[in-house]
Amino acid sequence: MKDTHQAQPFIQVNDLHHVYLRGTPLEVTALKGVTLEIYEGESIGIIGRTGAGKSTIVQHFNGLLRARQPGKVILEGQDMSDPSVKVKAIRQKVGLVFQHPEQQLFERLVGDDIAFGPKRLGLSREERRERVRWAMEMVGLDFERFKDRFTFSLSGGEMRKAAIAGVLALQPKVLILDESTTGVDPRGRKDLLARILELHRHHGMTLIFVSPNMEEVASMVDRVYVIDDGRTAMSGTTREIFDRPDDLRQYGLGVPQVTTIAHQLREHSLPITRTPLTVAEAAEDVWKILNS
Amino acid sequence: MTEPIIRIENVHFAYNAQSENPIVALTDINLEVMPGEYLVIVGHNGSGKSTLAKHLNALLLPTQGDVWVNGMNTKNGAHTLTIRSTVGMVFQIPDNQIVATVVEEDVAFGPANLGVPEDELRERIDWALDVVDMQNFRHRAPHLLSAGQKQRVAIAGAMALKPQVLILDESTSMLDPAGREEVLSAVRRLNQAGTTIIAITHYMHEAVEGDRIVVMEAARTVTQGSPREVFSQVEELRALQLDVPQVTELSYALHQRDETFPPNLLTVEEIVAEIIRRKELEVAT
């Protein structure tokens, strides 16, 4: 939840624009005015239809894209368009995991791959080992069993975990998952998401979660920004956002099934007061109604 | 009695079967698919779903056992072309399946290569684009379409070959909710028009669309039945760590608190109706 006594957001985006391949015949305007703010320790969902600009936004958060066009990205008080900003330091604070994180692996051995970041930070051998051990434990890869495995011999789900561990080994303050669980099967996904939630809740890691799966978003984050056609279209707490199914539909999005159930019961004048976001919440709410 | 359009008999398959370390992908698979059926295959990554699908149009041949399509054994090379025009396939990423720079040319690619005459070609394109509701985009460039639209073009391309069976291998997994709904309704229309559908998916609320669900785990089929039969086995599915639709999960949670509440409702409409029925009953008594 937003901590009101934090004066300054960790990430502040004001009226951000972005054009790819500017000045060429292939010019594409991806962002036309995005405004949002993210405070330390929050969990934020960014949702929108394919091509809305979600990935373009999050790539500004670790300096992969720089705001040189209208609009500003301020990260911990630093203007990211300032050429003197040290991108290396930023990437240590803001870890980004892409849609196909297995493509982020490049070393031969799993342990070396995860140790790559800490090594670049100049950490000692001992510190590196500890970082790698910690990161692997966090994603659920057994250190002894996996550190000397060949990266290419991992299953798809294990590759994703290894790639996420590589980002976590930098101990970033902010973890961005850009559709990183798409295509992972339910078993791998649930396990991974539970571990990431644990990092957020118990280690205070700020979480930015981009996903096309509304049920996942509903169970993972406290606040949501809806992006449509390169602009911020909606923002609010997760419950507020999913309480507006008609608006979401207009942006090509939906709501979790249990939320739809609550909306329909309300239309039949059954008094469901809060909007349930998970099956557990819905079971509680419906049970109350059945026994009132 | 109607003959099954696809018959899979005691199929085993291993990648690198001849090598020292064969990777077993299918073990003892027996399955029949009837004409007009809407079959859904669910299971984890690596459970053998896609390997099985690739056996149905002779992209892969069984290491042991037989696959029959319309009575033709896929091992008989003389039948390969006929089998591939009987069973069409749409993959996960539409971009890998789209070949032309204009939508209607892409849809025409398959039948034109089979030498379908001009007049009939036009008819097929019209029909295929109609089914997927993409008539208005026929002169557009595919790379400028949304992912859902591209996937519908890929389906139209497969349908222009007039296959009797259409296989969708996780064809909705890269799409946003609106794109997924577009593709699903196109598939529903195809099935109603008589095309046999075999859909592979991770999304359990999509599996509910099917007449029959087959669950695969570790190279075997572990359970099958109507969506209601399969999703009634909430505990078994959980043991396999497969999802059940949220509606079914809720219905099961309420059943655990009150045994008279049905444990296996599948759709939002069903569960809302059940809750309302119970409230009205309460008022009446």
Side-chain angles (χ1 to χ4, degrees):
Chain A
M1 275 283 131
K2 180 154 43 171
D3 197 347
T4 39
H5 50 257
Q6 270 181 333
Q8 200 183 35
F10 189 81
I11 299 173
Q12 189 167 9
V13 177
N14 283 325
D15 196 31
L16 184 65
H17 287 63
H18 190 80
V19 179
Y20 285 107
L21 302 168
R22 180 187 286 278
T24 75
L26 296 172
E27 187 173 292
V28 180
T29 305
L31 301 183
K32 303 173 183 172
V34 169
T35 298
L36 53 83
E37 49 188 39
I38 296 168
Y39 290 81
E40 216 174 322
E42 275 197 299
S43 57
I44 299 291
I46 299 181
I47 60 178
R49 70 177 105 220
T50 323
K54 307 180 295 288
S55 296
T56 308
I57 297 172
V58 297
Q59 284 175 26
H60 279 85
F61 294 169
N62 77 342
L64 267 181
L65 294 174
R66 304 288 283 270
R68 296 217 169 84
Q69 294 159 5
K72 269 200 187 325
V73 176
I74 313 280
L75 199 136
E76 268 195 322
Q78 266 184 311
D79 185 343
M80 294 285 282
S81 62
D82 181 347
S84 70
V85 164
K86 294 201 172 48
V87 173
K88 192 176 156 188
I90 299 285
R91 296 211 178 131
Q92 194 183 328
K93 283 182 202 150
V94 182
L96 175 58
V97 186
F98 294 104
Q99 184 163 5
H100 297 287
E102 58 274 19
Q103 294 171 357
Q104 281 174 276
L105 299 174
F106 53 90
E107 288 276 3
R108 224 160 61 90
L109 300 179
V110 172
D112 290 345
D113 197 275
I114 298 168
F116 181 81
K119 200 171 168 183
R120 301 280 293 162
L121 292 181
L123 295 183
S124 75
R125 177 174 275 277
E126 256 327 290
E127 283 172 312
R128 257 161 27 211
R129 205 179 158 82
E130 273 324 296
R131 285 280 185 104
V132 172
R133 183 192 294 275
W134 174 82
M136 287 177 74
E137 263 165 27
M138 277 301 141
V139 298
L141 289 175
D142 184 70
F143 178 71
E144 295 300 336
R145 224 180 98 212
F146 280 97
K147 71 177 167 41
D148 296 324
R149 287 270 295 273
F150 290 120
T151 44
F152 65 77
S153 75
L154 300 179
S155 76
E158 288 162 356
M159 282 192 194
R160 278 170 198 239
K161 287 182 176 178
I164 294 174
V167 172
L168 289 180
L170 294 167
Q171 299 196 333
K173 284 185 170 173
V174 180
L175 180 66
I176 307 173
L177 297 176
D178 185 2
E179 303 203 8
S180 313
T181 55
T182 310
V184 180
D185 59 29
R187 173 160 39 208
R189 211 168 53 217
K190 272 187 193 157
D191 181 46
L192 204 52
L193 292 181
R195 287 170 185 283
I196 285 161
L197 214 47
E198 157 90 15
L199 274 169
H200 164 65
R201 289 196 179 142
H202 300 290
H203 297 260
M205 191 175 278
T206 307
L207 177 64
I208 301 175
F209 189 65
V210 181
S211 169
N213 183 328
M214 297 301 125
E215 291 169 1
E216 269 178 22
V217 172
S219 67
M220 292 287 289
V221 304
D222 299 329
R223 277 203 305 133
V224 173
Y225 286 98
V226 177
I227 308 299
D228 188 61
D229 192 23
R231 295 185 183 88
T232 312
M234 290 166 74
S235 76
T237 65
T238 311
R239 225 179 278 283
E240 285 165 0
I241 294 291
F242 287 127
D243 230 349
R244 295 164 60 188
D246 295 335
D247 295 329
L248 286 169
R249 207 160 295 128
Q250 184 195 328
Y251 301 125
L253 300 168
V255 302
Q257 274 192 327
V258 288
T259 313
T260 309
I261 294 171
H263 291 148
Q264 294 197 3
L265 289 175
R266 236 178 250 161
E267 276 168 30
H268 288 91
S269 321
L270 289 176
I272 290 216
T273 38
R274 82 171 161 182
T275 299
L277 295 175
T278 61
V279 172
E281 285 185 5
E284 224 171 88
D285 295 356
V286 173
W287 186 247
K288 251 184 242 159
I289 286 189
L290 287 175
N291 291 287
S292 63
Chain B
M1 222 188 85
T2 337
E3 284 290 302
I5 191 159
I6 288 174
R7 209 155 37 123
I8 302 167
E9 282 180 355
N10 307 319
V11 164
H12 291 251
F13 180 80
Y15 289 99
N16 305 326
Q18 308 304 326
S19 77
E20 278 175 31
N21 302 309
I23 299 162
V24 176
L26 296 176
T27 309
D28 199 22
I29 306 284
N30 284 284
L31 191 66
E32 288 185 348
V33 185
M34 300 305 284
E37 208 183 340
Y38 190 148
L39 181 78
V40 178
I41 305 177
V42 302
H44 291 292
N45 291 346
S47 63
K49 308 179 302 279
S50 295
T51 306
L52 181 61
K54 288 184 180 130
H55 275 77
L56 306 183
N57 69 348
L59 277 177
L60 293 174
L61 299 174
T63 314
Q64 277 174 49
D66 295 286
V67 176
W68 306 82
V69 176
N70 262 346
M72 293 172 284
N73 194 320
T74 57
K75 280 180 181 160
N76 185 340
H79 292 149
T80 304
L81 273 181
T82 325
I83 286 172
R84 294 213 177 127
S85 58
T86 309
V87 182
M89 217 163 166
V90 178
F91 296 95
Q92 186 172 6
I93 302 168
D95 305 65
N96 296 348
Q97 203 165 357
I98 287 174
V99 291
T101 50
V102 178
V103 166
E104 64 172 9
E105 284 175 19
D106 189 81
V107 177
F109 181 80
N113 274 312
L114 288 181
V116 171
E118 176 81 22
D119 289 353
E120 196 193 329
L121 193 60
R122 296 237 152 262
E123 265 172 47
R124 285 204 192 184
I125 297 169
D126 282 343
W127 171 79
L129 286 172
D130 252 349
V131 174
V132 297
D133 197 18
M134 287 292 288
Q135 277 286 13
N136 296 337
F137 297 85
R138 62 186 303 154
H139 300 298
R140 297 274 286 274
H143 71 278
L144 296 177
L145 299 176
S146 76
Q149 290 165 340
K150 274 192 255 187
Q151 195 59 280
R152 283 189 282 159
V153 172
I155 293 175
M159 288 313 297
L161 292 164
K162 295 257 177 173
Q164 292 169 290
V165 182
L166 185 67
I167 302 177
L168 300 131
D169 189 357
E170 292 193 33
S171 307
T172 58
S173 67
M174 307 294 285
L175 306 180
D176 54 31
R180 225 176 288 153
E181 188 39 51
E182 286 169 14
V183 169
L184 280 182
S185 61
V187 170
R188 233 175 271 141
R189 280 196 299 276
L190 279 172
N191 183 241
Q192 278 156 10
T195 309
T196 308
I197 303 289
I198 300 176
I200 296 175
T201 183
H202 281 152
Y203 291 103
M204 292 303 163
H205 54 272
E206 286 182 14
V208 172
E209 302 260 330
D211 302 319
R212 182 159 59 117
I213 297 178
V214 173
V215 181
M216 292 195 68
E217 169 74 7
R220 292 169 189 276
T221 56
V222 287
T223 182
Q224 58 170 301
S226 69
R228 205 176 301 280
E229 285 161 5
V230 168
F231 290 129
S232 301
Q233 308 169 21
V234 173
E235 293 300 333
E236 290 83 346
L237 292 176
R238 273 199 197 137
L240 292 171
Q241 290 179 287
L242 283 166
D243 280 334
V244 289
Q246 280 200 331
V247 168
T248 313
E249 226 181 300
L250 178 59
S251 145
Y252 186 75
L254 292 169
H255 171 77
Q256 283 186 316
R257 296 184 186 205
D258 174 358
E259 272 190 8
T260 65
F261 200 95
N264 55 359
L265 300 177
L266 292 179
T267 64
V268 170
E269 291 67 32
E270 277 181 8
I271 200 164
V272 167
E274 175 67 23
I275 295 165
I276 290 167
R277 192 185 64 81
R278 286 171 171 261
K279 282 313 280 183
E280 280 170 356
L281 217 62
E282 206 173 275
V283 175
T285 48

